Amino acid sequence: MADYEDVKNFLELKGIKVKTCYIAHVKEMCGLTHREAWCRGHPRANPCPLKKIEPIKQAFRHFGMID
């Protein structure tokens, strides 16, 4: 599975800047997280903007993380 830096670098080549918290949010939306983060006792402070969800999902598809 690709790590956060792989996904960020892939998207930056396409001119899209993302934060790791955006990637984590989309991973959660796609069911790729296995457990709750130890520090997560509250709602996301920085949810992924709607316009960046699909490019992140495309990166996941590129790396074979989702179908």
Side-chain angles (χ1 to χ4, degrees):
M1 186 180 297
D3 61 14
Y4 288 86
E5 284 301 313
D6 293 333
V7 173
K8 280 180 70 171
N9 292 336
F10 177 81
L11 292 170
E12 284 178 1
L13 289 174
K14 295 179 175 268
I16 302 169
K17 295 263 187 194
V18 295
K19 296 180 180 182
T20 55
C21 59
Y22 297 168
I23 298 169
H25 185 206
V26 177
K27 281 180 75 172
E28 185 179 295
M29 292 168 60
C30 293
L32 296 175
T33 55
H34 297 286
R35 60 177 183 244
E36 194 71 24
W38 65 270
C39 60
R40 173 123 355 255
H42 49 81
R44 285 197 176 277
N46 297 311
C48 185
L50 294 176
K51 67 180 182 178
K52 295 194 178 190
I53 292 173
E54 191 54 38
I56 293 172
K57 284 184 177 181
Q58 288 176 358
F60 290 171
R61 286 185 198 99
H62 172 79
F63 290 110
M65 297 166 67
I66 62 173
D67 294 328

